[in-house]
Amino acid sequence: MNKKLILKKANKSDLLIMLAAILFLFTLNVGIISYAQHQRMVREREQTHYIASGFSMTLNEELDNVFYLTGALKETIVSHDGKIVNFNQVAQDLMAKNTALGSLQLAPKGKVTHIYPLKGNESGMIDLLKDPKRGPICRYGIKHNVTTLQGPFKLAQGGSGMAVRSPLFLTKNGKTTFWGFAIAIIRVPDIFKDTAKTMGLSGYNYRLYKNVSPLSKKKVLVMKSGSKLEKPVSFSFKTDSNNSWRLVISPKNGWQYKRSNWILIYVMLTDVLLVLLMLWIINRRIATRILEREASRDSLTQAYNRQGFDGYMQDYAQQHPNEKSTIIMLDVDDFKSVNDVFGHHVGDQVLVTLTKNLKQVFGPEAIVGRNGGDEFVVALPGLSMKQSQPTIEKMSKLKQTAVVDKKPIDFSISMGYSDFPGQARNYVEACRFADAALYEVKIAGKDSYASYKSGLSQDKRHNQLGLGMRALAAGDPTPLLVVKVDGEEPIYVNKSLLDLFNCELSTNFYDYYGDSFANLIAPDDRKRVYTELKDFIAQAEDEERFKDNFSILTTDARVIRVRSEMKYSLNQRYGALIYLNFILN
């Protein structure tokens, strides 16, 4: 039994060694074939580049032959002191030497007066310097005393052509003046027919491009062969006319280095099998990652869900036990009202927009999580509260706007934050401290941020006063008013209270409230209740409560009987506060 097990293990080891050897040989073969093919490609393309260079020299020579003809025309003018003598005969003799010529022309002072042959070319009798297309190029030739080459363009007799214009200057009595132009109109691709024939016989398809004129970088096609070029070689050159050319060529029958053999086919088939195997493995890995992501991400915002966020932070705290991190708790102000007024689809878009803004402001290193509803948590690893404060302030001041059906929906957020290790001993405690700071912001009027300050008690803040503080922030239906004892200044009023007093906005309520709680009480109860409240405040201790029944006076002069439970509380930021809720009798 044991021997069989050992034998089986040995066989497996042998198979593994064989597999490793095959893979090694396969990799070696692929490397050798790839190297040989690359070297073959380099040599073949270098050879083609050299051939293209040779073709370009031949093209240049063919152009020089045309430039020679315009030079001969200029010599006849110079020899006759600027007079035009026997032009037709001279032109006829010159054209007999080059069958690609379409016509020869003379343009004294830039105006074409002589053309051979004239028949069919009458439209060429123009003032070149005043022509909008030819003028700038002619002036360029005069200024730099260079022969210019313009085109290709359509010829009146059909086909395409290019114009060679050579400026002529005469010197008399020590003074040099511009006489005019000697011009040759050449037909393309006839001018390059010898080179084109040679390239075809050499087994190459080609494209020849040039810039329209010395004043333009735009390349136009001069001539071509073949329907398509396969990974062509490009060679750029310039002629004496200061024109830029580009010759592009590739073998008619394709590149030799790309032709496969049975070894290459074998390698390719093996590669396909390996690629399929790798794709299968990668697909499995991706599927696993997707499942893990879905389990740790919020489906709406793609932020971490509570489980994913907690797991990430626990792992991070274990790996960086002494590194400070800031924890931020935040939510959307009056989110319930957003859902009630605009609908849940708008509320969803608000949450998506907020997530996007959090990631944009806090950066890629921030960890963004959604605890549920409109409550979010953000971790800034490696940053203390002091280091994080400027970015938190930036987020607080950022205008929050969700766009739904092309309509902007503005909203605001409140944030509280803490750090660990430092204020808190661990991540969980830092979350509680940040949560306490968040609800300090809620009491202060929302749309702001605050850091945790020692002494804020999460347990105290959630003591019942007819409702919890989270319900307070979410807009509980029980009307609630929070007043500073010192000065009787109201610092918080919820929507239910605004509705009770028939106020549309909190500013309307503050105007009605004035500077005293007594203004809210109906005249018949005002003196009694205000005196009882003052007596209660004078003797009250933290968390102490007081109940009373009285009538209130609304902004529209209605008298409503209510039962009120008042709570005296000491707050670190605002000092002594009175919480008053109003329940209809």
Side-chain angles (χ1 to χ4, degrees):
M1 183 70 175
N2 291 335
K3 289 183 178 179
K4 289 183 179 180
L5 289 174
I6 293 173
L7 184 60
K8 287 182 179 180
K9 290 182 180 179
N11 288 339
K12 289 180 180 179
S13 299
D14 290 342
L15 289 173
L16 289 173
I17 292 173
M18 290 174 60
L19 179 60
I22 292 172
L23 289 175
F24 172 76
L25 290 174
F26 170 74
T27 305
L28 181 63
N29 288 335
V30 170
I32 292 173
I33 293 172
S34 298
Y35 176 78
Q37 193 174 26
H38 176 73
Q39 292 300 313
R40 188 176 182 181
M41 177 195 70
V42 170
R43 287 195 300 270
E44 191 174 358
R45 292 184 71 85
E46 284 180 348
Q47 181 182 6
T48 304
H49 191 272
Y50 176 76
I51 292 173
S53 173
F55 287 149
S56 69
M57 294 176 62
T58 307
L59 291 169
N60 216 342
E61 290 174 359
E62 290 175 324
L63 286 172
D64 286 343
N65 291 335
V66 177
F67 296 163
Y68 165 77
L69 298 178
T70 58
L73 276 179
K74 290 165 63 174
E75 288 179 3
T76 62
I77 301 298
V78 172
S79 64
H80 291 88
D81 294 328
K83 296 179 181 179
I84 300 174
V85 179
N86 296 327
F87 168 73
N88 287 345
Q89 184 61 48
V90 173
Q92 182 180 7
D93 293 341
L94 292 174
M95 289 187 65
K97 297 178 182 180
N98 195 319
T99 57
L101 280 174
S103 66
L104 290 173
Q105 305 174 8
L106 289 176
K109 296 183 180 180
K111 186 175 182 179
V112 179
T113 58
H114 293 71
I115 300 177
Y116 182 86
L118 180 60
K119 186 176 181 181
N121 295 307
E122 293 84 355
S123 60
M125 294 287 194
I126 61 173
D127 190 335
L128 295 173
L129 297 179
K130 293 182 179 180
D131 186 79
K133 291 184 179 179
R134 301 168 178 81
I137 301 169
C138 292
R139 287 190 288 272
Y140 174 87
I142 296 171
K143 180 179 179 180
H144 296 88
N145 192 15
V146 294
T147 299
T148 60
L149 181 63
Q150 184 178 6
F153 48 78
K154 291 183 179 180
L155 296 174
Q157 302 90 340
S160 298
M162 293 188 294
V164 180
R165 302 187 186 96
S166 182
L168 172 60
F169 293 86
L170 294 179
T171 301
K172 185 177 290 185
N173 299 325
K175 184 178 180 181
T176 300
T177 57
F178 170 66
W179 180 88
F181 290 100
I183 304 168
I185 305 299
I186 55 178
R187 292 190 294 270
V188 289
D190 299 22
I191 185 66
F192 302 121
K193 64 180 180 179
D194 291 338
T195 303
K197 182 178 180 181
T198 303
M199 285 191 288
L201 292 174
S202 300
Y204 289 97
N205 287 327
Y206 58 86
R207 302 283 188 276
L208 180 64
Y209 301 90
K210 68 173 288 291
N211 59 335
V212 178
S213 72
L215 303 181
S216 173
K217 293 182 179 180
K218 180 182 178 181
K219 291 287 194 301
V220 292
L221 182 66
V222 177
M223 64 176 184
K224 70 173 184 176
S225 72
S227 58
K228 185 179 180 181
L229 302 185
E230 180 186 4
K231 293 186 177 180
V233 169
S234 179
F235 184 83
S236 299
F237 62 97
K238 285 192 174 184
T239 61
D240 294 340
S241 58
N242 202 27
N243 276 87
S244 298
W245 297 74
R246 185 170 76 250
L247 178 62
V248 182
I249 66 173
S250 71
K252 289 181 179 179
N253 299 322
W255 297 97
Q256 292 291 328
Y257 71 85
K258 296 191 70 176
R259 294 181 182 176
S260 304
N261 50 47
W262 69 271
I263 298 178
L264 191 58
I265 293 174
Y266 161 76
V267 172
M268 290 176 63
L269 288 175
T270 307
D271 284 346
V272 170
L273 292 175
L274 288 175
V275 168
L276 290 175
L277 177 61
M278 288 302 300
L279 288 175
W280 181 82
I281 295 173
I282 292 170
N283 184 64
R284 296 288 297 176
R285 290 170 60 87
I286 291 174
T288 302
R289 284 200 299 269
I290 290 175
L291 289 174
E292 292 175 351
R293 180 182 178 87
E294 289 179 348
S296 62
R297 295 280 180 169
D298 172 54
S299 59
L300 174 64
T301 63
Q302 291 305 301
Y304 281 103
N305 57 25
R306 185 186 294 271
Q307 177 184 345
F309 190 89
D310 289 346
Y312 183 94
M313 290 308 301
Q314 288 171 5
D315 292 341
Y316 183 85
Q318 290 177 358
Q319 296 171 11
H320 307 83
N322 298 318
E323 188 171 275
K324 277 200 173 184
S325 296
T326 299
I327 300 296
I328 307 166
M329 300 292 291
L330 66 137
D331 63 16
V332 180
D333 297 329
D334 303 315
F335 185 67
K336 183 177 182 297
S337 298
V338 174
N339 282 329
D340 292 344
V341 174
F342 300 104
H344 287 278
H345 71 290
V346 174
D348 289 347
Q349 188 57 47
V350 165
L351 299 179
V352 171
T353 301
L354 174 57
T355 305
K356 179 182 177 182
N357 292 343
L358 289 171
K359 291 179 178 179
Q360 182 177 350
V361 172
F362 289 118
E365 300 301 323
I367 311 303
V368 179
R370 180 188 176 196
N371 287 341
D374 64 318
E375 184 178 290
F376 286 78
V377 57
V378 179
L380 304 180
L383 297 177
S384 65
M385 285 204 312
K386 184 177 180 181
Q387 293 171 316
S388 304
Q389 195 272 336
T391 312
I392 294 172
E393 182 179 5
K394 179 180 178 182
M395 183 65 197
S396 180
K397 292 182 178 179
L398 178 69
K399 184 179 180 181
Q400 309 284 346
T401 303
V403 179
V404 182
D405 298 329
K406 298 183 180 180
K407 294 180 181 179
I409 306 296
D410 294 333
F411 63 95
S412 64
I413 61 172
S414 298
M415 295 185 289
Y417 61 101
S418 174
D419 66 4
F420 78 98
Q423 287 186 320
R425 291 165 295 179
N426 51 49
Y427 150 68
V428 176
E429 191 173 52
C431 286
R432 289 204 304 267
F433 287 174
D435 196 44
L438 167 62
Y439 285 101
E440 282 291 303
V441 175
K442 289 296 186 181
I443 291 176
K446 310 176 186 179
D447 192 15
S448 187
Y449 65 96
S451 63
Y452 175 78
K453 294 178 175 56
S454 57
L456 289 178
S457 169
Q458 182 79 350
D459 295 333
K460 272 186 184 180
R461 297 185 56 76
H462 286 196
N463 283 341
Q464 294 300 311
L465 178 63
L467 69 164
M469 288 303 293
R470 289 183 180 273
L472 156 68
D476 191 274
T478 303
L480 180 71
L481 171 66
V482 182
V483 180
K484 288 176 65 175
V485 171
D486 183 13
E488 298 185 26
E489 176 189 353
I491 62 172
Y492 180 81
V493 55
N494 69 357
K495 188 176 185 301
S496 297
L497 189 76
L498 295 180
D499 293 339
L500 179 63
F501 280 90
N502 196 32
C503 295
E504 183 177 356
L505 302 171
S506 58
T507 52
N508 303 135
F509 176 81
Y510 294 144
D511 291 339
Y512 178 67
Y513 178 90
D515 57 0
S516 175
F517 169 73
N519 295 331
L520 305 181
I521 306 172
D524 292 344
D525 292 334
R526 185 170 297 168
K527 183 176 181 180
R528 174 185 63 83
V529 175
Y530 192 64
T531 301
E532 290 174 354
L533 179 60
K534 283 292 187 178
D535 291 341
F536 166 67
I537 292 173
Q539 308 176 51
E541 296 181 355
D542 191 23
E543 302 299 314
E544 189 171 344
R545 288 174 168 77
F546 172 71
K547 296 180 180 179
D548 202 353
N549 293 290
F550 54 88
S551 297
I552 61 172
L553 182 65
T554 66
T555 56
D556 56 351
R558 288 180 295 115
V559 176
I560 301 175
R561 194 69 182 173
V562 298
R563 176 170 53 86
S564 177
E565 181 179 337
M566 309 175 195
K567 174 186 173 183
Y568 180 90
S569 178
L570 296 177
N571 182 276
Q572 178 175 317
R573 179 180 297 180
Y574 300 104
L577 298 177
I578 294 293
Y579 294 75
L580 304 101
N581 66 347
F582 298 83
I583 302 172
L584 298 180
N585 279 338

